[in-house]
């Protein structure tokens, strides 16, 4: 009888997918793992292209998607009918402009001013791509290449997630000397976790855990470790772009 009951005590395991890259993906994994710890659930995280994440999660082959905007289901072209929102933001993500350190730029920084010249960005970045004029888009296959295009003066600027840019500049001192992350961010929004609908009963528990992790400082401490910005009451009041993330969709820029 003892041997029969042992498997029932084993921890449940869930697999999450994400299109985010380190350090953001590492932060997300640590936060969700901590949030699910009270329920004896271990997680595994797989990084894959964004479109594949959607397919795998929606079809139930993967249990959840670590990071999407709140209106993701409204703006996605893919089938997300089996996605269920965990309605508790976990990170504020910022999209920034990177230029040569000494470059004079037009302020305030807007998509119109960014579109004054060629812009490098990571291929597949749909959120970034839609704000750039066709003739200005220079898509490359790695984030390091995105920055190198600016350093080699092949483009006027680069657009990428702030956490990724900071991480890369810390890794490559030469690029850090040549380039500058311009502020403020050109776009800011919160990211949320989604689960496949088969785990809908888990969502209230996960939301409660995430709220507790905000209250006890875990989110902020973990965010500091990975150089990202945790979702908090302050970021929620400061950022009102969530319902509008697709509202600026530049119809004047033919896609």
């Amino acid at each position: 009888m003892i041997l029969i009951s042992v498997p029932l005590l084993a921890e449940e395991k869930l697999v999450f997918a994400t299109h985010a890259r380190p350090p953001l993906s590492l932060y997300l994994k640590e936060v969700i793992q901590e949030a699910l710890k009270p329920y004896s659930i271990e997680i595994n995280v797989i990084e894959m292209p964004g479109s594949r994440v959607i397919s795998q999660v929606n079809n139930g082959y993967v249990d959840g998607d670590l990071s999407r905007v709140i209106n993701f289901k409204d703006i996605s072209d893919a089938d997300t009918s089996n996605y269920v929102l965990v309605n508790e933001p976990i990170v504020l993500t910022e999209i920034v402009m990177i230029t040569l350190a000494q470059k004079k730029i037009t302020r305030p920084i807007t998509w119109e001013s960014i579109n004054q010249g060629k812009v490098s960005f990571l291929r597949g970045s749909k959120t970034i791509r839609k704000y750039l004029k066709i003739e200005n888009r220079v898509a490359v296959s790695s984030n390091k290449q995105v920055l190198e295009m600016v350093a080699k003066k092949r483009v006027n600027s680069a657009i990428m997630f702030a956490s990724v840019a900071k991480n890369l500049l810390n890794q490559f001192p030469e690029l850090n000397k040549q380039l500058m992350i311009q502020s403020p961010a050109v776009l800011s929004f919160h990211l949320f976790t989604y689960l496949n609908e088969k785990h809908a009963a888990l969502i209230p528990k996960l939301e409660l855990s995430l709220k507790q992790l905000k209250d006890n400082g875990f989110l902020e401490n973990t965010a500091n470790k990975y150089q990202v910005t945790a979702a908090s009451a302050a970021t929620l009041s400061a950022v009102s772009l969530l319902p509008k993330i697709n509202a600026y969709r530049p119809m004047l820029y033919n896609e």
Side-chain angles (χ1 to χ4, degrees):
M1 290 297 295
I2 294 176
L3 291 176
I4 293 173
S5 64
V6 166
L8 299 178
L9 301 177
E11 291 185 327
E12 183 182 355
K13 291 187 178 180
L14 297 182
V15 178
F16 285 82
T18 183
H19 63 297
R21 296 292 182 266
L24 179 55
S25 60
L26 300 177
Y27 165 80
L28 295 169
K29 178 180 180 180
E30 188 165 338
V31 168
I32 295 301
Q33 179 60 84
E34 186 69 17
L36 290 174
K37 188 183 292 185
Y39 310 111
S40 298
I41 298 175
E42 287 288 331
I43 73 167
N44 185 33
V45 175
I46 305 170
E47 292 182 15
M48 60 179 72
S51 58
R52 189 174 171 213
V53 172
I54 299 171
S55 173
Q56 293 290 300
V57 174
N58 198 63
N59 290 330
Y61 302 131
V62 173
D63 299 300
D65 187 336
L66 277 183
S67 57
R68 297 286 178 175
V69 292
I70 195 169
N71 59 341
F72 165 64
K73 295 186 68 168
D74 296 328
I75 66 176
S76 177
D77 297 327
D79 182 9
T80 58
S81 55
N82 295 324
Y83 264 65
V84 184
L85 172 69
V86 178
N87 196 11
E88 190 64 39
I90 54 180
V91 66
L92 175 71
T93 188
E94 297 177 310
I95 293 177
V96 293
M97 177 189 191
I98 301 101
T99 67
L100 291 171
Q102 305 305 320
K103 185 177 179 64
K104 293 182 179 179
I105 63 170
T106 303
R107 292 189 179 276
I109 301 173
T110 64
W111 289 107
E112 183 177 356
S113 63
I114 290 169
N115 270 290
Q116 290 177 358
K118 297 287 186 182
V119 184
S120 58
F121 66 103
L122 184 65
R123 182 174 288 110
S125 300
K126 186 176 179 181
T127 300
I128 294 172
R129 181 180 181 275
K130 71 185 180 185
Y131 290 104
L132 301 177
K133 293 179 180 179
I134 293 175
E135 62 268 26
N136 290 335
R137 298 174 188 163
V138 180
V140 295
S141 57
S142 77
N143 282 306
K144 185 169 183 266
Q145 286 180 310
V146 172
L147 296 182
E148 288 173 338
M149 293 293 285
V150 181
K152 293 175 181 178
K153 301 181 180 180
R154 294 178 181 172
V155 296
N156 283 3
S157 64
I159 298 293
M160 68 168 56
F161 290 103
S163 60
V164 175
K166 291 175 185 176
N167 186 52
L168 282 171
L169 293 180
N170 286 337
Q171 289 182 52
F172 300 100
E174 189 58 37
L175 286 175
N176 194 32
K177 290 178 184 177
Q178 294 176 278
L179 304 178
M180 174 181 289
I181 298 173
Q182 299 291 344
S183 60
V186 67
L187 186 64
S188 302
F189 47 88
H190 290 92
L191 295 178
F192 296 71
T193 294
Y194 284 79
L195 295 180
N196 179 277
E197 64 175 358
K198 65 185 176 183
H199 298 296
L202 180 61
I203 287 178
K205 299 176 182 178
L206 185 50
E207 289 173 346
L208 176 61
S209 281
L210 289 171
K211 288 177 183 175
Q212 292 171 340
L213 293 181
K214 284 185 184 133
D215 292 341
N216 66 23
F218 181 88
L219 251 67
E220 185 173 357
N221 292 335
T222 307
N224 290 338
K225 179 167 69 171
Y226 293 111
Q227 294 187 305
V228 299
T229 304
S232 64
T235 63
L236 284 169
S237 61
V239 178
S240 59
L241 294 175
L242 286 175
K244 304 175 183 177
I245 192 169
N246 208 35
Y248 180 80
R249 188 175 183 86
M251 302 304 291
L252 63 162
Y253 299 163
N254 296 322
E255 295 200 88

